[in-house]
Amino acid sequence: MRVQRISEKGDLQMRRVYLDHAATTPVRKEVVDVMTRYMLDVFGNPSSIHQFGREARKGMEEAREHVASLVGAQPEEIVFTSGGTESDNMAVRGVAEALEKKGNHIITSAIEHHAILHTCEYLEKHRGYEVTYLPVDYFGMVSPDDVRAAIRPSTVLVTVMMANNEVGTIQRLAEIGLVCREAEVTFHSDAVQAAGAIPVDVEDLAVDLMSLSGHKMYGPKGVGALYIRKGTKIRPIAYGGAHEKQRRPGTEGVPGIVGLGEAARLARAEMDSRVSHVRYLRDRLISGLLEVEETRLNGHPSHRLPNNSNVSVAYVEGESMLLNLDMAGIGCSSGSACTSGSLEPSHVLLAMGLDHEEAHGSLRMTLGYENTVEDVDYVIGVFPGIVKRLREMSPLARKGEPR
Ligand code: PLP
C-alpha cells in the first residue's frame, strides 16, 4: 500500500481519495458559514411577524431566489423539502392525487431512483394506479417516441430523470418535455444529480416539476426543493400548516434552506470551471481504467454527467474491488446494493441489458471539483494491481469463461 505522508504525530498516513460525489458531496465552507449564522444569530421562526422572524424569512426568500436562478425558475415556483426523496414523492403522489378525476395512469422509466419507483409501486399496489415503466437502450437512454406511444387519455404524469445516478446518462429531456406538452400531460423530472452539475433550465426542458437535493451540490443533507411550474395541479402529501404557500407544512428548516441557497449560488457562479475541471479528470480516469483488459464503460459515451465514470470489470465482483480500493484509501461505489444480506445487482444496469455478472462487476467513480490530477493518477495506479489480484482468485477467470 502506498504511503503518502507522515502526520504531525509521526504516523504513516495513506492517501485518501473521495470518488463518490454521486452519493454525497462535502459541504462548502461558505455554506457552513451561512448555516452557522442562521443557527446562532438569525434563529427566528420565519412565520413569526417580529423582527427575529422577519430576518429568518428574508434569508429563506433569498435562498429561494438562488435556487430558482439555478434552474431558470421564478422564486415562487420553488418549494423547500427535506431532500430529493421527498421532492420525488411529492411530485408523483401530489400530481396523481390532484388529477385523480382525469385518470390513473403514470409513465416513468425502468432506471429511475427508488424514490420514484417505490412511490409508483405504492400507487399501483394500494391506490389502483397503472404504471408504465419504459425500457432504456444499451446506453441507458429513454426514447421520446416510447414516451409518446405510451401516453393514454388517462395519463396524469410522465416522470423521467434528467441524469442517472449510477451511469450518468443524460436524457433527451427537452424532447420528452415537448411530447408531454403536445399531449397536455404533466411532466416531472428528478434532476437531483443534474442540478448544480450541468446547466439546467426548466423552460428549455419544458418540465412542470423538478426535484433537487442540497447534498449533491456541496450543500447540506436533509434539504431539497421541488420546482412547481405556476398553474400545475398538485396536492400536498402532508398536512398541518400553511407553510410554503400551503404546499408543504412544517416550520421551515431555515439553516438547511439558506445552506442550499448558498450552494446553488456557488454552483451557478462556478458552473463552467467546475464542469471543465471534472470533465478533464473524468476522461483521464475512464481512459486509465479501461487500460485494464476486459473492462467496458457503462452508460452513454458522450451524453453523460461530466463527473461520472462507471465501468464493468470482467471476472471480478464490484464489492470486492470496492473493499480493496477502500483499503487503498479510495472511496467509490459498486453496481450492487447490499440489501438484507443479499447482493442485488443494480436495476439500472440490468435495464440497460447487462447480465447479472456484468452488473455485479461494475464500479462507479464520481468526481468532484476538489479532486486533482494526482488523485486520478493514484487511482489509475492502484487499480490494475487490485483487479489482477482479484482475478487470480476468481474461479470464473481461471476457467476463462466468456461473459
Ligand atoms: N434521486 C436521485 C437521482 C438521487 O441520486 C438521489 C440520491 O441519491 C435521490 C433522488 C434522493 O435524494 P436525497 O438523498 O436528497 O433524498
Side-chain angles (χ1 to χ4, degrees):
M1 196 165 298
R2 189 164 147 187
V3 174
Q4 295 295 315
R5 59 193 163 117
I6 297 176
S7 77
E8 280 170 19
K9 285 189 199 155
D11 314 327
L12 296 178
Q13 285 191 337
M14 189 174 58
R15 186 180 191 106
R16 274 159 55 90
V17 180
Y18 184 70
L19 290 185
D20 206 7
H21 291 79
T24 198
T25 55
V27 182
R28 266 287 276 260
K29 170 81 168 64
E30 294 91 326
V31 170
V32 175
D33 289 346
V34 75
M35 289 178 72
T36 306
R37 196 158 78 78
Y38 278 81
M39 283 187 276
L40 295 177
D41 303 328
V42 194
F43 56 82
N45 184 324
S47 297
S48 302
I49 55 171
H50 47 62
Q51 60 175 308
F52 298 88
R54 289 200 308 274
E55 283 164 6
R57 175 157 297 274
K58 184 162 174 289
M60 195 167 83
E61 295 314 321
E62 280 169 10
R64 206 183 300 278
E65 283 170 26
H66 291 315
V67 173
S69 298
L70 181 67
V71 297
Q74 299 302 313
E76 59 277 15
E77 295 174 314
I78 300 295
V79 172
F80 291 117
T81 66
S82 67
T85 301
E86 185 189 329
S87 299
D88 284 349
N89 271 263
M90 188 171 165
V92 175
R93 276 180 58 200
V95 169
E97 287 182 8
L99 297 180
E100 62 195 356
K101 289 214 175 77
K102 180 187 175 201
N104 67 343
H105 179 233
I106 295 169
I107 298 170
T108 188
S109 84
I111 59 160
E112 298 296 311
H113 189 271
H114 287 124
I116 293 289
L117 293 178
H118 289 174
T119 307
C120 287
E121 283 163 22
Y122 160 77
L123 290 173
E124 257 182 317
K125 276 197 197 126
H126 303 290
R127 306 296 295 272
Y129 282 80
E130 289 175 23
V131 181
T132 300
Y133 299 90
L134 294 175
V136 292
D137 67 13
Y138 177 74
F139 299 116
M141 278 281 193
V142 174
S143 150
D145 288 338
D146 285 354
V147 176
R148 185 180 288 110
I151 292 177
R152 311 174 188 167
S154 61
T155 306
V156 289
L157 180 72
V158 171
T159 173
V160 175
M161 72 200 320
M162 184 164 181
N164 183 265
N165 44 305
E166 293 187 32
V167 293
T169 300
I170 300 171
Q171 298 299 331
R172 291 155 63 189
L173 218 59
E175 290 171 64
I176 297 174
L178 208 62
V179 167
C180 294
R181 203 158 267 186
E182 279 167 9
E184 296 182 14
V185 173
T186 304
F187 179 36
H188 166 255
S189 184
D190 175 340
V192 164
Q193 293 288 338
I198 53 172
V200 172
D201 187 293
V202 293
E203 294 307 328
D204 293 350
L205 300 173
V207 292
D208 300 309
L209 303 110
M210 181 175 266
S211 303
L212 317 176
S213 174
H215 73 110
K216 311 288 183 179
M217 54 166 113
Y218 300 89
K221 296 170 180 58
V223 63
L226 181 64
Y227 156 75
I228 307 174
R229 181 179 294 279
K230 223 173 278 171
T232 302
K233 292 201 167 57
I234 184 162
R235 276 208 205 140
I237 57 168
Y239 295 88
H243 310 80
E244 296 293 276
K245 297 204 169 69
Q246 320 257 15
R247 293 174 295 192
R248 201 267 187 179
T251 303
E252 298 88 345
V254 180
I257 288 171
V258 295
L260 170 62
E262 181 64 4
R265 187 188 71 76
L266 290 164
R268 185 158 173 257
E270 297 171 4
M271 179 71 66
D272 292 349
S273 61
R274 286 189 195 180
V275 169
S276 54
H277 178 67
V278 293
R279 181 177 288 147
Y280 172 77
L281 294 183
R282 176 201 67 185
D283 292 345
R284 191 178 178 102
L285 178 64
I286 290 176
S287 28
L289 297 176
L290 295 184
E291 286 280 304
V292 172
E293 270 176 33
E294 297 200 67
T295 50
R296 49 171 270 190
L297 182 66
N298 296 317
H300 201 283
S302 55
H303 289 275
R304 72 185 302 132
L305 287 172
N307 75 335
N308 175 289
S309 70
N310 187 312
V311 294
S312 279
V313 182
Y315 316 125
V316 290
E317 294 280 323
E319 292 288 302
S320 320
M321 288 189 280
L322 195 83
L323 295 175
N324 278 266
L325 287 162
D326 187 33
M327 284 191 284
I330 301 160
C332 58
S333 98
S334 80
S336 314
C338 189
T339 38
S340 53
S342 71
L343 283 179
E344 288 292 327
S346 142
H347 68 285
V348 174
L349 297 176
L350 294 184
M352 286 163 53
L354 273 73
D355 62 30
H356 277 233
E357 227 173 84
E358 288 169 315
H360 272 308
S362 78
L363 204 60
R364 177 187 76 177
M365 294 181 175
T366 44
L367 294 139
Y369 67 78
E370 75 284 7
N371 286 127
T372 61
V373 171
E374 291 74 36
D375 288 342
V376 169
D377 290 350
Y378 172 60
V379 176
I380 297 171
V382 299
F383 184 65
I386 289 175
V387 173
K388 185 165 179 285
R389 231 180 15 255
L390 291 172
R391 279 184 176 162
E392 278 164 7
M393 295 187 295
S394 158
L396 282 177
R398 272 203 300 276
K399 276 193 256 160
E401 281 181 10
R403 290 167 60 84

